[in-house]
Amino acid sequence: MLVLAFDTATAAITVALYEWIPGEGAVPRGVAEAVDRRRHTELLTPSIAQVMAEAGAAPADLSAIAVGVGPGPYTGLRVGLVTGRAMGEALSIPVHGVCTLDIIAWATGREAPFVVATDARRKEVYWARYDSARARATEPAVGPPSDVPEGMPVVGEGGALYPEILGDSGHEPLLPAAGALAELTIARLAGLKVPELLPPEPLYLRRPDAKEPGPRKKVTPA
């Protein structure tokens, strides 16, 4: 089973190609990482081409696609989801969504409770509490850093942005990695008890900044 994974819900444009081999588990075949808050569209497709070429794989070789569903800002998140759904439809393969906070949590490998927090802009964070790297305890939420439960380590970029509120140590990893996304997806497909896979639909938690214009106001003759 060959799984292409990518996430664009944060400043990271992260892509990985992993193969599931019985007896060996999830084996990396190609990885591409970039950090750029404004160039998700320009960087994602070349990164996918890079990891496929690195592995000597063709699109027809893929068994599934895994994509981060956020929470995250509207524009960047949409890039990954639209790309994932388009590829899945063209190749007639399943597209699995994974909460971006779960991806970061999985990469920590932690066994004790902690919080994942990412940058939600507007001086807010997206966050969720975890019992371990494999088990989320709360639904994702968005709000000021002061909403995050006290007394637990906070990992992710949100923690690093507000150390005066969330503590000033132990925030790694700051951003999601597609390798962790691929590993989590393969583990779930293999039947392990890990965070659930979701439909490839965006988890926004709040409305996008852009709004449709309302009807034009009538002009009353003088």
Side-chain angles (χ1 to χ4, degrees):
M1 176 169 60
L2 199 60
V3 175
L4 176 66
F6 45 88
D7 188 293
T8 59
T10 69
I13 302 94
T14 176
V15 182
L17 185 67
Y18 270 55
E19 183 177 6
W20 181 67
I21 301 176
E24 294 186 38
V27 179
R29 297 304 186 201
V31 176
E33 304 280 358
V35 177
D36 192 316
R37 296 184 186 279
R38 299 181 180 275
R39 300 180 62 224
H40 296 82
T41 302
E42 293 89 338
L43 295 176
L44 179 59
T45 300
S47 295
I48 291 173
Q50 175 185 328
V51 300
M52 297 292 288
E54 188 176 328
D61 298 327
L62 296 175
S63 305
I65 293 171
V67 59
V69 300
Y74 178 77
T75 303
L77 177 55
R78 181 180 58 181
V79 170
L81 286 165
V82 169
T83 300
R85 290 197 297 255
M87 290 186 66
E89 183 175 352
L91 298 170
S92 297
I93 57 176
V95 181
H96 304 290
V98 176
C99 173
T100 298
L101 302 178
D102 291 350
I103 300 169
I104 297 173
W106 179 268
T108 69
R110 291 175 180 254
E111 297 295 335
F114 64 101
V115 171
V116 174
T118 60
D119 182 18
R121 304 176 185 174
R122 306 179 190 175
K123 297 183 179 180
E124 293 184 332
V125 294
Y126 298 115
W127 66 274
R129 183 169 59 84
Y130 290 78
D131 290 332
S132 73
R134 291 170 170 255
R136 176 155 41 86
T138 65
E139 291 299 313
V142 62
S146 57
D147 284 355
V148 175
E150 298 179 357
M152 286 183 288
V154 179
V155 301
E157 187 180 28
L161 287 172
Y162 304 101
E164 70 283 359
I165 300 173
L166 302 178
D168 58 1
S169 63
H171 300 305
E172 298 289 341
L174 298 182
L175 298 168
L181 168 57
E183 290 176 0
L184 193 160
T185 301
I186 289 172
R188 185 73 184 191
L189 293 175
L192 300 182
K193 190 175 181 181
V194 300
E196 65 178 335
L197 302 178
L198 306 171
E201 300 294 336
L203 184 60
Y204 289 131
L205 300 188
R206 65 186 181 201
R207 295 181 181 275
D209 292 331
K211 296 181 180 179
E212 292 185 9
R216 293 184 178 181
K217 294 182 179 180
K218 293 183 178 180
V219 178
T220 304

